[in-house]
Amino acid sequence: MRPAGPGSTASQHKGVMENQASSSGGPSLEALVSRAERAGKGAPPVEIWNPPFCGDIDMVIRADGTWTYGGSPIGRKPLVRLFSTVLRKDADGRTYLVTPVEKLGITVEDAHFQAVEMSRDMQGGEPILTFRTEVGDVVICGPDRPLRFAGETEDGAFRPYVTVRGRLEARLTRALAYDLADFVEDDGAGPFVRSGGARFAIGKGAA
């Protein structure tokens, strides 16, 4: 993802957005920004909104965490953060940008977010794992925000994911996955990681 530049208002990106709109054939990025801004600041209550489905757009969250629209990277981090606040993954397994008036389908190659920082503290004798995503979400791992472990990659590394909100997940970066491996326990029933009073099993061979 390219470094954020100064400023983040829709008007400052008009030229780039119009070019991306013409290549994608969908709504301009400027229009999408405006709709997301109208949804509200912070984390809008997208889980309770039920707008009509208005089709798919050519927005992709790549496996490496890069967001693209119309095939071009969205290089400004404030825009990525804005769109991240109106993301929702539904029971159909698809991910959408959701506002009070419309729902637009997007493509997610792997995870919605990247977990880029992790801390481990002890409370009452229990470990607490806290993660921060690249868009600024802070996630305290526990029963409501569990860890899950996908199968091994080709190089034998395990792939941890943490629930951020709803059905949205963040994949731990490779560096954090190595750090998390230091906290893997095994009581004879198989490897696991503890956090927030919960125990998250690691699949056979994943450790």
Side-chain angles (χ1 to χ4, degrees):
M1 194 175 298
R2 297 175 184 170
S8 61
T9 62
S11 62
Q12 290 173 304
H13 311 291
K14 185 174 182 180
V16 174
M17 294 166 187
E18 288 175 346
N19 291 337
Q20 291 177 329
S22 63
S23 65
S24 69
S28 71
L29 190 58
E30 181 180 31
L32 294 175
V33 169
S34 177
R35 295 169 196 173
E37 287 177 336
R38 289 199 300 269
K41 303 295 183 181
V46 296
E47 297 296 334
I48 65 174
W49 290 341
N50 189 30
F53 175 61
C54 297
D56 296 328
I57 58 173
D58 188 16
M59 183 176 286
V60 181
I61 304 177
R62 303 290 182 191
D64 66 0
T66 302
W67 291 52
T68 66
Y69 186 65
S72 300
I74 302 175
R76 294 187 178 271
K77 289 183 180 179
L79 292 187
V80 172
R81 291 191 191 102
L82 177 64
F83 289 130
S84 76
T85 65
V86 292
L87 275 187
R88 189 178 79 195
K89 183 178 180 180
D90 284 358
D92 61 5
R94 298 201 58 204
T95 299
Y96 304 91
L97 294 182
V98 181
T99 74
V101 298
E102 64 185 344
K103 183 169 78 168
L104 301 166
I106 72 168
T107 299
V108 180
E109 291 184 346
D110 186 4
H112 306 91
F113 309 115
Q114 301 282 306
V116 295
E117 289 183 358
M118 177 181 68
S119 66
R120 185 177 189 265
D121 302 295
M122 299 296 293
Q123 293 184 11
E126 287 289 331
I128 303 290
L129 294 171
T130 302
F131 299 93
R132 184 182 67 81
T133 71
E134 87 281 19
V135 293
D137 290 299
V138 176
V139 180
I140 299 175
C141 181
D144 295 331
R145 291 182 173 182
L147 277 171
R148 74 173 179 90
F149 298 89
E152 291 184 4
T153 60
E154 291 182 358
D155 60 3
F158 70 175
R159 294 182 293 153
Y161 298 77
V162 62
T163 299
V164 176
R165 59 181 181 274
R167 297 181 179 90
L168 304 178
E169 291 185 316
R171 180 177 175 177
L172 276 63
T173 63
R174 180 180 292 254
L176 284 195
Y178 281 123
D179 290 342
L180 185 68
D182 290 337
F183 306 129
V184 172
E185 304 176 51
D186 194 332
D187 60 1
F192 61 93
V193 173
R194 291 185 297 141
S195 180
R199 169 176 165 150
F200 308 105
I202 300 172
K204 183 178 180 181

